[in-house]
Each structure stands twice: as structure tokens, then as C-alpha cells.
Amino acid sequence: MIVVVASGKGGTGKTSVSVNLAKVIAGSVQLLDCDVEEPNAHLFLRAESVDIEEVAIAVPDIDETRCDGCEKCVEFCEFNALAAVGGVPLLFPELCHGCGGCELVCPQDAVREKPHRIGTIQTSRSGAITLRTGLLDIGVSMASSLVHSVKQRMEAGITAILDAPPGTACPAVATLRGADFVVLVTEPTPFGLNDLKLAVD
């Protein structure tokens, strides 16, 4: 069973609910902190670190000896991670989504992929709870990619509680995808109600 605890806005008590759900479930449970820009579930648990793993996405590595400056890769890139500069395209790795399309469209076979670190995943244990915490590197905007990496480490057959990032942007949607149940946490204010309606939609 996969339960996501989400909210339309931050500061509603989403992490408190996530951690307490994990604590009251009988037997082994996984708690995944998918709020990779501001993870804080570890603050509510006395957990012992077991492992820290680097996470990277594949970005293009252009062979200047093969590239003829045709700009097909630049035209293909929807995220403007490649720019035409009158020769070999210039790469902005912080904009690359790692789709691999530039490698597919290059007629000169000049594009290969290389890893570009986006963050880490720390695994900790507190009794029957296994906590996996995604932490996005400073200046990196690929939160959804790191959320996917955190979710890929879920163990089948063990109840999983996912602490989602606040709001309704891509990282929250990435966390919600594939869930069996969603618990929405809000606060009794007009802003809280407005953001709750956005989250429900």
C-alpha cells in the first residue's frame, strides 16, 4: 500500500502526519521524504543513517571532433539546455531534463551522455521505519527527477508513506503518481481552503 500525505501549501503539518502515520502502522514501514527541496522528516525521528547515495541524470557530452554545428540537437531541446553559438552547441546542464533526445537526433553521432549530479538519497532506520530522504543539491531545479529516484527505492510488499512537497507543482504531482491513497492536510484559513481546493483538483 502506498499512501501519499500532501497539501496545497507548506506549513500545514503534512510531515507531522506522515511521521505519525509511519509510527502507528504495525510492522515494517517505509517513510519516503519526497520534499527534496526542504526535507524534514528526519527531524521527527531518531534514525540511524545506513547509506547515502548520489543521484545523477544523464546530460549530453558533445564530441567537438564529430559535431558539424547542424543544430538539430538545439532545435530538439524543449528546455533550452543547448544553445547555438556558431559551432558546437553550448550546454546548460541545470536546464537539462536528461531525456536523451539530443543523442537520438544527432546525424553525426557526436552526442553521448555523461552523469550530472542532482542530489542525494539518504537511507536511515528508526525501529521498524526505513526513512529515505531525497536532498536536492543547491542550485539544481530537477526536483521531480530526484522524487522519481526516491520512489524507485521503494520496496515492494512493504507499506510506504510518502511525504509530498507542498503545493501542486511538478514535484508534488510526481510524488502522487502511482499512489493507492492520498491524505490531504490543510489548515482552517481562507488561504488553506483555497490551496486545498487546488490540490484536490
Side-chain angles (χ1 to χ4, degrees):
M1 177 173 62
I2 301 171
V3 179
V4 174
V5 180
S7 64
K9 64 182 288 298
T12 60
K14 171 178 54 62
T15 300
S16 298
V17 171
S18 300
V19 171
N20 283 296
L21 270 176
K23 283 183 169 257
V24 298
I25 291 176
S28 296
V29 64
Q30 305 170 81
L31 176 58
L32 280 64
D33 195 341
C34 295
D35 186 1
V36 299
E37 294 177 274
E38 290 290 335
N40 61 353
H42 64 282
L43 299 174
F44 298 92
L45 289 172
R46 287 194 180 123
E48 183 178 329
S49 179
V50 175
D51 182 50
I52 297 178
E53 178 185 357
E54 287 189 2
V55 177
I57 62 169
V59 299
D61 185 21
I62 300 173
D63 183 345
E64 295 183 19
T65 63
R66 300 185 84 148
C67 178
D68 64 359
C70 73
E71 299 181 11
K72 289 195 184 309
C73 58
V74 175
E75 293 166 11
F76 180 86
C77 186
E78 291 290 320
F79 303 102
N80 299 313
L82 292 167
V85 290
V88 176
L90 185 62
L91 170 67
F92 297 95
E94 63 278 359
L95 297 177
C96 181
H97 283 59
C99 72
C102 53
E103 184 177 9
L104 293 173
V105 300
C106 180
Q108 302 302 324
D109 197 28
V111 181
R112 294 287 178 263
E113 293 181 336
K114 65 180 178 182
H116 175 70
R117 178 183 150 139
I118 60 169
T120 59
I121 297 174
Q122 180 172 0
T123 301
S124 307
R125 290 217 167 73
S126 176
I129 299 172
T130 299
L131 172 63
R132 288 196 173 79
T133 304
L135 180 59
L136 197 65
D137 283 348
I138 294 171
V140 174
S141 61
M142 296 293 107
S144 296
S145 296
L146 188 54
V147 168
H148 290 303
S149 293
V150 172
K151 290 177 66 176
Q152 286 172 354
R153 281 141 184 89
M154 273 192 294
E155 297 176 51
I158 300 175
T159 300
I161 308 295
L162 280 62
D163 184 11
T168 57
C170 294
V173 173
T175 304
L176 290 165
R177 196 168 280 131
D180 297 311
F181 300 97
V182 177
V183 177
L184 290 170
V185 181
T186 190
E187 58 189 17
T189 65
F191 293 116
L193 180 60
N194 177 69
D195 293 336
L196 177 65
K197 288 177 181 176
L198 292 173
V200 168
D201 287 344

